[in-house]
Amino acid sequence: MGIPTIKLHDGYEIPAIGLGTVYLKGEAGVDAITCAIRNGYRLIDSAIRYDNEGTVGEAVRQSGIPREQLFLTSKLRAQYYDYDQALEMIRESLYRANLDYWDLFLLHWPNPKQDKYVEAWRALIQAKKNGWIRSIGVSNFMPEHLDRLIEETGETPVINQIELHPYFSQVEQRQADKERGIITEAWSPLSRARTVIHDEKITELAKQKGKSVSQVILRWHVQLGVIPLARSSSELHQKENLDIFNFELTDKEMETLNALTKPDGRIDDQDPREYEEY
């Protein structure tokens, strides 16, 4: 079964699940990402901060899949939020990946104390006009950050990529994104295999469904209308994580997972209102 797509408010379509690439670098990273593309992944998520845009670009070339069939994402690191430097680094990121354009480019964190995210957003708008980027969005932005971007520039992000998993389900933020016509993406949808992946209730549910814990969690994301970005270098797990479009969770099963959320459910306590990325 093919991967469904979701239409962004700018008219482009994005796959309903993608591959996260943090920590995937060098030859091993190329092998893992190439394997993922050949196994059906079309959405590949990178970032300047990951130091692996070259790895992603090389995997794209080695995969043999035409560039136009892929949806490639990167993100601007907050140390480059000055307007001119932002444009320079977006261009640099394309050089590193040896790409003509990114399908999607995001501001990685709002860094509210630094207070340059509106300036950086204007740079993304210009880079889009330049043809370097097709769609522009943000990552880890709270409702007040989104509103400021929209009010001061008139341009609404197409995506908000946030930490989201059953232990931190982000109900309010998802609703805020939806009200603004923004699609929510989930980073660390499996909590980096540190917390929720070991939950007893999900483990039991997975046994009942004849599915893996990862498949149940990723299916939960999809049914919420969220795009999960699961990272795996294992071919077995890559295939397993994609195989989530041939079953459904019932309303009761969805509620079981929804009820697991915690006020302090963040993996590393990275609150976007306080956390500063450099």
Side-chain angles (χ1 to χ4, degrees):
M1 182 178 292
I3 300 172
T5 59
I6 295 172
K7 194 164 189 176
L8 303 173
H9 71 65
D10 64 2
Y12 288 106
E13 294 190 1
I14 184 171
I17 186 171
L19 180 79
T21 67
V22 65
Y23 310 130
L24 298 180
K25 299 180 186 179
E27 189 173 350
V30 170
D31 290 345
I33 299 167
T34 302
C35 179
I37 294 172
R38 289 175 176 167
N39 282 324
Y41 285 86
R42 294 296 177 264
L43 167 58
I44 310 296
D45 180 84
S46 181
I48 289 175
R49 188 180 181 182
Y50 299 169
D51 291 322
N52 72 349
E53 291 165 312
T55 295
V56 169
E58 182 59 26
V60 167
R61 285 185 290 282
Q62 291 190 18
S63 72
I65 300 298
R67 167 68 182 92
E68 61 271 16
Q69 293 182 20
L70 300 170
F71 195 102
L72 307 177
T73 301
S74 194
K75 311 179 196 73
L76 185 66
R77 192 169 186 161
Q79 75 185 80
Y80 304 123
Y81 276 11
D82 289 317
Y83 182 85
D84 290 338
Q85 196 173 27
L87 286 173
E88 183 178 78
M89 288 308 298
I90 293 166
R91 202 78 181 107
E92 176 65 24
S93 76
L94 287 167
Y95 292 150
R96 291 175 183 178
N98 196 16
L99 296 172
D100 294 328
Y101 66 94
W102 290 103
D103 294 277
L104 175 66
F105 211 86
L106 312 176
L107 299 182
H108 208 154
W109 288 88
N111 275 42
K113 295 171 189 172
Q114 181 189 27
D115 194 25
K116 290 184 178 179
Y117 62 87
V118 175
E119 182 177 349
W121 185 241
R122 293 188 193 279
L124 261 63
I125 293 170
Q126 184 59 49
K128 181 181 174 184
K129 291 177 181 176
N130 293 349
W132 304 346
I133 301 167
R134 288 191 169 175
S135 297
I136 57 176
V138 295
S139 182
N140 303 300
F141 273 51
M142 307 297 284
E144 64 268 26
H145 305 139
L146 296 172
D147 287 341
R148 190 170 165 206
L149 291 184
I150 297 165
E151 289 165 7
E152 295 192 27
T153 71
E155 185 92 18
T156 301
V158 296
I159 289 280
N160 188 14
Q161 185 184 127
I162 58 177
E163 177 179 354
L164 200 158
H165 45 77
Y167 280 4
F168 197 63
S169 65
Q170 296 261 44
V171 176
E172 294 83 5
Q173 185 62 58
R174 282 190 283 115
Q175 183 60 33
D177 290 347
K178 185 177 181 180
E179 288 171 356
R180 292 156 180 79
I182 300 169
I183 300 298
T184 303
E185 276 187 333
W187 59 262
S188 296
L190 303 176
S191 72
R192 299 175 188 162
R194 280 161 52 183
T195 57
V196 73
I197 201 79
H198 307 294
D199 186 87
E200 291 182 2
K201 289 184 179 178
I202 302 178
T203 300
E204 181 57 34
L205 176 57
K207 287 180 182 176
Q208 293 172 10
K209 302 290 283 189
K211 299 292 179 180
S212 71
V213 170
S214 296
Q215 287 174 321
V216 168
I217 294 172
L218 295 173
R219 181 67 204 182
W220 170 80
H221 282 84
V222 167
Q223 289 185 219
L224 289 177
V226 172
I227 299 170
L229 302 168
R231 178 184 63 85
S232 178
S233 56
S234 157
E235 182 171 16
L236 176 66
H237 288 153
Q238 288 176 357
K239 289 180 176 179
E240 182 180 273
N241 291 345
L242 274 191
D243 189 25
I244 59 170
F245 298 103
N246 55 5
F247 76 100
E248 289 188 1
L249 299 175
T250 65
D251 290 346
K252 185 176 180 181
E253 290 165 344
M254 288 292 290
E255 283 307 313
T256 296
L257 270 72
N258 290 343
L260 297 175
T261 195
K262 305 174 181 181
D264 60 348
R266 295 185 191 276
I267 302 168
D268 291 318
D269 195 29
Q270 293 173 311
D271 184 345
R273 292 188 174 100
E274 301 293 332
Y275 180 74
E276 295 279 303
E277 178 208 37
Y278 288 104

